[in-house]
Amino acid sequence: MSAHASHDIVGIVLAAGRGRRFGGDKLRRALPDGTPIGLASARALRAALPGRVLAVVRFGETNLRGEFEADGIECVECADADSGMGASLASGVRATDDAAGWLIALGDMPFVRTETVAAITAALAGGARIAAPVHAGRRGHPVGFSADLRDELLALGGDEGARSVVARHRRDLVPIHCDDAGVLADIDTPADLATALAMHGAG
């Protein structure tokens, strides 16, 4: 794959889950500095991506959407978000299908460092098909995909996310080794949040 300008790479924040394991409204829960979890996750992308960043939200979700849009982050509604993360991811790619690539981030991962996002973006801009952060031997998020994987991303559904795409193209994955524990810190439950805050502070 040829190299691309980094401003043609789009950041997509998957923020359409219901947060049932958390007790609902997870992405609107404020971190100690007052920033909602979802917004903090999006800001980590925006701080490092010169191009477009958008959030995928549930159809009819006005409160979370309002928080994103008030911060200048555009939103796309996913009508079939309840079918799983794959549907949300596909809707975000569909809304930006002229991009040179995508950074797919999870809305419940607010502790990813800006420099980690920048390194993944640089790998994509330099020609990587897939780039992902690796911390302590484990692959984390966000994950970058080049435009030539568009059709595979658009075909996603269910709750698998892009794992199947990564598995098919494992040889093409460029690992971004980092000391950023935030790439593994997804917040599914209140206990996860307490653990992450103890490790990362106020973020």
Side-chain angles (χ1 to χ4, degrees):
M1 178 191 154
S2 59
H4 290 284
S6 59
H7 65 261
D8 293 328
I9 295 168
V10 173
I12 296 176
V13 182
L14 303 182
R18 291 190 178 273
R20 290 187 181 93
R21 289 171 61 193
F22 195 86
D25 242 8
K26 170 176 66 175
L27 300 187
R28 298 187 65 227
R29 174 69 64 93
L31 296 169
D33 67 355
T35 307
I37 288 172
L39 194 55
S41 302
R43 284 177 175 173
L45 281 189
R46 190 176 60 187
L49 272 172
R52 195 173 169 191
V53 174
L54 79 158
V56 180
V57 299
R58 288 194 311 278
F59 182 78
E61 166 52 74
T62 55
N63 294 325
L64 183 60
R65 179 174 189 154
E67 290 177 352
F68 281 128
E69 292 181 340
D71 210 59
I73 295 163
E74 64 180 296
C75 291
V76 172
E77 291 188 342
C78 179
D80 56 346
D82 282 344
S83 71
M85 192 184 298
S88 298
L89 197 162
S91 67
V93 171
R94 193 173 299 114
T96 58
D97 69 357
D98 57 344
W102 298 271
L103 248 67
I104 309 296
L106 305 185
D108 62 356
M109 296 186 69
F111 299 109
V112 177
R113 295 179 189 163
T114 298
E115 56 264 34
T116 304
V117 178
I120 300 165
T121 304
L124 275 188
R129 290 188 87 197
I130 302 175
V134 176
H135 174 73
R138 294 171 58 198
R139 194 175 76 235
H141 288 86
V143 181
F145 297 91
S146 68
D148 68 329
L149 296 171
R150 177 187 293 109
D151 290 346
E152 292 184 45
L153 296 173
L154 289 174
L156 291 172
D159 201 36
E160 187 178 25
R163 192 171 296 150
S164 60
V165 180
V166 174
R168 276 194 296 275
H169 302 284
R170 187 170 281 116
R171 291 181 180 178
D172 295 327
L173 188 146
V174 175
I176 307 298
H177 294 280
C178 62
D179 65 353
D180 181 0
V183 305
L184 303 176
D186 60 325
I187 296 167
D188 291 325
T189 66
D192 290 340
L193 178 57
T195 299
L197 287 173
M199 181 180 294
H200 300 279

